Amino acid sequence: GQQLNQSPQSMFIQEGEDVSMNCTSSSIFNTWLWYKQDPGEGPVLLIALYKAGELTSNGRLTAQFGITRKDSFLNISASIPSDVGIYFCAGHPRIQGGSEKLVFGKGTKLTVNP
Amino acid sequence: DGGITQSPKYLFRKEGQNVTLSCEQNLNHDAMYWYRQDPGQGLRLIYYSQIVNDFQKGDIAEGYSVSREKKESFPLTVTSAQKNPTAFYLCASSIGSSGGNEQFFGPGTRLTVL
């Protein structure tokens, strides 16, 4: 089935640093979503992208829908301790037979040292 | 407060017993989903339902069953046929085919089979 390659798998950074992570696919996606999951909780939607080239911000978070429609990245600026968690990308493939199934990356685990 | 609720948060069962996980949403969403998450893994789709009284198998449906008798509810039964049921289970919902692809998650249920 469809797969998303999310990198890096984990990141260890100092408070105040900027963070960048990305997702790539071998096929075209219509939608890119970025989620954050705290330990023991459900993922929370951070940003949704629907158009190629779209650049969207949510506070210190910025995400972009790649021009090729096969990738997306998420940037976090000036990281703070509460940014700790696992960040997942998810996408809706272009050809999916009309279903609402999403494909998920395996996540980027972020650790922020105060 | 609109949202998705899952109960219980933690569940312990003996091997060989069936167990049902609850998922309720008051977002008036048509589509609902069940995912399984194992440590260090992404989300794997178990079952999904795009409309009441209809549901489809996801990528790992073996050993699980669902029902969708009401729009608000999508319970998941983990049967004794599931070989490795200990995991974190997440329920999600989305508007459905009439809207975007954004899925919203519940807080999850951690199932431990002893």
Side-chain angles (χ1 to χ4, degrees):
Chain A
Q2 299 274 358
Q3 284 192 333
L4 288 179
N5 298 310
Q6 185 171 352
S7 65
Q9 283 188 329
S10 60
M11 302 182 75
F12 298 84
I13 63 170
Q14 292 297 124
E15 184 177 357
E17 289 183 359
D18 296 344
V19 172
S20 185
M21 59 192 79
N22 68 81
C23 262
T24 60
S25 170
S26 58
S27 55
I28 291 173
F29 277 62
N30 282 340
T31 304
W32 286 98
L33 306 173
W34 285 93
Y35 290 87
K36 182 195 177 198
Q37 186 178 27
D38 291 329
E41 300 294 331
V44 173
L45 182 64
L46 300 172
I47 293 178
L49 302 161
Y50 288 96
K51 291 172 57 177
E54 180 180 354
L55 185 70
T56 298
S57 293
N58 178 6
R60 293 178 295 104
L61 278 61
T62 302
Q64 184 160 27
F65 193 139
I67 291 290
T68 64
R69 306 181 74 98
K70 293 182 180 181
D71 61 350
S72 177
F73 72 77
L74 175 71
N75 284 348
I76 305 173
S77 63
S79 59
I80 59 178
S82 62
D83 289 334
V84 165
I86 301 177
Y87 292 80
F88 288 99
C89 63
H92 190 245
R94 185 177 191 177
I95 299 173
Q96 193 71 334
S99 77
E100 302 299 316
K101 290 167 63 176
L102 286 178
V103 179
F104 284 84
K106 291 193 174 182
T108 295
K109 185 175 181 179
L110 178 64
T111 301
V112 179
N113 295 318
Chain B
D1 247 352
I4 302 173
T5 57
Q6 292 185 243
S7 62
K9 182 69 174 173
Y10 300 96
L11 193 54
F12 297 87
R13 279 294 182 270
K14 290 184 178 179
E15 196 171 338
Q17 290 183 333
N18 291 355
V19 60
T20 298
L21 281 61
S22 166
C23 177
E24 304 276 333
Q25 54 97 2
N26 60 4
L27 300 168
N28 199 33
H29 284 173
D30 285 324
M32 297 186 74
Y33 314 80
W34 273 105
Y35 293 91
R36 171 182 172 137
Q37 186 175 33
D38 294 287
Q41 299 287 322
L43 279 66
R44 293 186 291 169
L45 183 64
I46 304 173
Y47 267 99
Y48 65 103
S49 168
Q50 294 180 270
I51 198 167
V52 175
N53 291 323
D54 188 42
F55 48 83
Q56 286 78 40
K57 293 182 179 180
D59 300 320
I60 55 165
E62 186 175 348
Y64 300 97
S65 66
V66 294
S67 63
R68 187 83 188 278
E69 297 176 3
K70 298 188 299 182
K71 187 175 186 177
E72 307 79 27
S73 180
F74 191 39
L76 173 75
T77 297
V78 184
T79 75
S80 56
Q82 168 51 234
K83 290 181 171 44
N84 186 19
T86 295
F88 190 49
Y89 290 88
L90 287 160
C91 178
S93 71
S94 66
I95 290 175
S97 56
S98 61
N101 306 127
E102 301 167 18
Q103 290 185 15
F104 298 90
F105 286 84
T109 292
R110 185 166 299 279
L111 173 64
T112 301
V113 176
L114 307 171

